[in-house]
Amino acid sequence: MASKHAWYQTAIFYEVHIRAYMDGNGDGHGDLAGLTQKLDYIKDLGVDCIWILPHYPSPLKDDGYDISDYYGIHPDYGNLDDFKALVEAVHARGLKIVVDLVMNHTSDRHEWFRQSRSSRDSPYRDYYVWSDTDERYQEARIIFLDTEPSNWSWDEGSGQYYWHRFYASQPDLNYDNPAVEAEMFRVAEFWLELGVDGFRADAVPYLYEREGTNCENLPETHAFLQRLRKFMDERYPGRIILSEANQWPEDVRPYFADGNEVHMNFHFPLMPRVFMALKSGDIRPVVEILERTPEIPENCQWCTFLRNHDELTLEMVIPEEREWMWAEYAPEPRMRLNLGIRRRLAPLLDNDKRKILLAFSLLMTLPGTPVLYYGDEIGMGDNIWLRDRDGVRTPMQWDSTPHAGFSAGPAESLYAPVIDDPVYGYRRVNVADQIDDPDSTFSLVRQMIARRKSVTALGKGSFEWAANTGNPALAAFWRSLGDQKVLVVHNLIGQVQSASISIPEGVSGRLVEIFTAKEYPRLQDNMLQLTLAPYQYHWLESR
Ligand code: GLC
């Protein structure tokens, strides 16, 4: 039966840093040609949609999130022909691709900013936010707390301050200027014409500034995004916007509007609570945040994730929870960055395969579309000693040959050192070794993805906590879509647990475990009795 759901509601997303993935020309940097070579691997994993980090020319002060030309390709990555070849190869495999679109700011090397700062009379002056004082918008928080003392920086040449929510080398565009909006629509059009399936819209809460507010989530921002959506729906129906709004659920909800703003939003507050639950053996933080999560329109979807290319952000927890997360997950000061933790999934979970798979199971079964971060599917490690967030962006570990099979270039050309420690080093952790081993993290994640996709209820079904004994170390819930009912049970702790779960009315038929095909009998009073090994999970489908 054809699904009535839009593709992004039941898809698996995979986030790729082009520089880190595969070097196609031996210069030590991953590139578009390299990524194109690896599409069969991505397809084999079960991914439906690739999200690539910024591919544009950039001085790389923020790893490409500082764009100096919206219409080009970073020379390390190739050229527009390589980009077209990638899009074609993606589509030929039935995959989709969304690209990062950084609308809030440019690089200070962008021609618009060069012109803007060249003189107060420049026609580009108003492309950015200038001020005689640095006292305006004092209620706006600083995001890159470890490095930026203020959201204003002084421009000596033109004698005014300019506004930036991120690094000083990333001046914010001025969306009160209609010319800026028109420019951004042209940029969107350019990439949509090249066939991209949508955008991951970077840092959208900060597009506008208004005195007396925290300059986030303003009505003007929503109106702008709705105009962009309308433009895309009219000209490029089916292409999506996935917005990055790192906000509380009630503040993210307006980004879906009436189903006429963005299609998808990351669920930022859920992510740290999954880690809280895994560490404390108590699912209640997840229960609470899902209770606090409003319903969203039919044509929208959350994106869930465990890790991404940034620090594990702790912006969406209260201060006591943040201290607890730091103490538990970032015992060394170097592991902390801004309001987060610069570590990868496997090290965060003690490199314990049971915990890693448990985390993936939560990702695959909680409401939303899962977004996997490259390398986590093989349990890659990190390098906290690299600068900024580079330690979670090291070369993908393909095999045990030199440079992990990532690059044929000389060692000194590599953009970052390959992880080479005894535990996470590429000789121990790599794709080639895991792909044919049915018990490897890769194979088990691949299998989980395949199962998840075979059960539509896990993509778009309703969600309900299961009535159990009230034991918070068991995370048990039902996902239902029409007649399809799936009970998912997770044991969050390192001890064997038994679970008595009452089967609600309306769930008929046999209950069969999806991975093992084992049938679980209904007991008297419609109870189900399960025993779970440490960190074990079961997905039971009624058939
Ligand atoms: C987003 C990106 C992050 C970047 C920032 C500024 O938060 O995920 O990597 O530094 O925006 O563009």
Side-chain angles (χ1 to χ4, degrees), residues 61-134:
K61 294 282 161 43
D62 186 8
D63 213 357
Y65 282 95
D66 46 333
I67 296 174
S68 55
D69 173 7
Y70 284 98
Y71 296 97
I73 302 290
H74 194 286
D76 291 344
Y77 297 166
N79 57 35
L80 274 176
D81 285 336
D82 298 321
F83 187 86
K84 289 177 196 161
L86 170 67
V87 172
E88 197 176 310
V90 162
H91 290 158
R93 285 165 178 76
L95 301 171
K96 298 198 185 284
I97 181 166
V98 305
V99 297
D100 234 298
L101 182 61
V102 187
M103 298 189 282
N104 180 65
H105 45 268
T106 69
S107 161
D108 59 359
R109 313 276 180 83
H110 194 290
E111 189 55 27
W112 299 337
F113 192 68
R114 289 179 194 268
Q115 297 276 348
S116 186
R117 79 189 322 178
S118 69
S119 134
R120 292 201 195 186
D121 303 324
S122 160
Y124 287 94
R125 187 69 176 175
D126 256 0
Y127 269 45
Y128 295 86
V129 183
W130 293 98
S131 165
D132 289 329
T133 118
D134 58 358

Side-chain angles (χ1 to χ4, degrees), residues 17 43 69 267 374 379:
H17 188 12
K43 171 95 183 166
D69 173 7
H267 202 315
Y374 89 90

Side-chain angles (χ1 to χ4, degrees), residues 83-328:
F83 187 86
K84 289 177 196 161
L86 170 67
V87 172
E88 197 176 310
V90 162
H91 290 158
R93 285 165 178 76
L95 301 171
K96 298 198 185 284
I97 181 166
V98 305
V99 297
D100 234 298
L101 182 61
V102 187
M103 298 189 282
N104 180 65
H105 45 268
T106 69
S107 161
D108 59 359
R109 313 276 180 83
H110 194 290
E111 189 55 27
W112 299 337
F113 192 68
R114 289 179 194 268
Q115 297 276 348
S116 186
R117 79 189 322 178
S118 69
S119 134
R120 292 201 195 186
D121 303 324
S122 160
Y124 287 94
R125 187 69 176 175
D126 256 0
Y127 269 45
Y128 295 86
V129 183
W130 293 98
S131 165
D132 289 329
T133 118
D134 58 358
E135 300 287 301
R136 291 166 70 199
Y137 313 137
Q138 286 303 303
E139 287 167 50
R141 69 194 165 113
I142 295 169
I143 297 167
F144 286 165
L145 271 173
D146 289 357
T147 41
E148 297 302 316
S150 165
N151 287 325
W152 291 107
S153 282
W154 176 249
D155 179 51
E156 192 60 50
S158 63
Q160 275 190 314
Y161 294 93
Y162 64 91
W163 178 249
H164 55 88
R165 292 306 299 270
F166 295 92
Y167 288 126
S169 53
Q170 291 166 299
D172 272 37
L173 285 162
N174 173 21
Y175 278 86
D176 281 320
N177 178 355
V180 168
E181 174 164 330
E183 294 276 13
M184 215 37 80
F185 278 40
R186 273 198 286 281
V187 170
E189 179 181 21
F190 179 81
W191 295 102
L192 291 164
E193 281 296 320
L194 286 177
V196 305
D197 297 289
F199 301 112
R200 181 262 190 190
D202 184 68
V204 288
Y206 322 113
L207 298 184
Y208 288 80
E209 301 73 37
R210 290 291 178 266
E211 207 56 75
T213 74
N214 66 357
C215 298
E216 299 186 14
N217 315 318
L218 295 176
E220 292 83 352
T221 295
H222 291 296
F224 165 81
L225 289 170
Q226 286 172 27
R227 291 193 293 277
L228 178 64
R229 170 67 180 269
K230 187 157 177 283
F231 166 77
M232 286 173 60
D233 279 354
E234 280 168 10
R235 298 272 310 274
Y236 307 95
R239 319 281 182 100
I240 62 159
I241 309 174
L242 157 58
S243 65
E244 186 213 18
N246 186 354
Q247 304 284 333
W248 292 100
E250 55 277 14
D251 295 324
V252 177
R253 175 62 187 83
Y255 287 86
F256 293 118
D258 297 325
N260 61 338
E261 198 168 315
V262 307
H263 302 73
M264 310 180 93
N265 260 300
F266 293 105
H267 202 315
F268 275 97
L270 176 61
M271 181 276 298
R273 287 169 179 78
V274 168
F275 285 95
M276 285 185 206
L278 291 169
K279 186 62 94 176
S280 64
D282 185 335
I283 195 63
R284 280 174 294 184
V286 172
V287 175
E288 281 157 24
I289 204 69
L290 290 181
E291 262 165 22
R292 192 174 158 179
T293 301
E295 291 291 320
I296 60 175
E298 243 333 273
N299 59 343
C300 295
Q301 178 65 306
W302 292 104
C303 276
T304 49
F305 63 103
L306 296 167
R307 290 295 296 111
N308 64 18
H309 64 291
D310 289 324
E311 68 275 27
L312 187 168
T313 164
L314 298 173
E315 280 157 276
M316 292 302 123
V317 297
I318 60 171
E320 298 76 47
E321 293 169 327
R322 187 177 304 135
E323 290 302 329
W324 185 86
M325 282 289 289
W326 269 330
E328 295 291 338

Side-chain angles (χ1 to χ4, degrees), residues 21-22 31-42 82-90 93:
Y21 209 58
M22 181 66 199
D31 46 37
L32 295 168
L35 171 56
T36 308
Q37 285 170 30
K38 294 298 184 185
L39 290 177
D40 288 331
Y41 166 80
I42 294 173
D82 298 321
F83 187 86
K84 289 177 196 161
L86 170 67
V87 172
E88 197 176 310
V90 162
R93 285 165 178 76

Side-chain angles (χ1 to χ4, degrees), residues 464-471 474 476-480 485-489 498-509 511 520-530 540 542:
E464 210 181 338
W465 292 102
N468 67 23
T469 47
N471 173 0
L474 280 173
F477 45 84
W478 293 90
R479 303 294 313 268
S480 320
K485 316 269 176 204
V486 184
L487 170 67
V488 188
V489 188
S498 53
S500 309
I501 294 171
S502 71
I503 305 169
E505 273 176 44
V507 178
S508 56
L511 281 163
Y520 285 81
R522 284 165 192 265
L523 306 177
Q524 274 176 327
D525 304 331
N526 258 339
M527 290 301 284
L528 182 72
Q529 193 66 40
L530 296 169
L540 296 136
S542 73

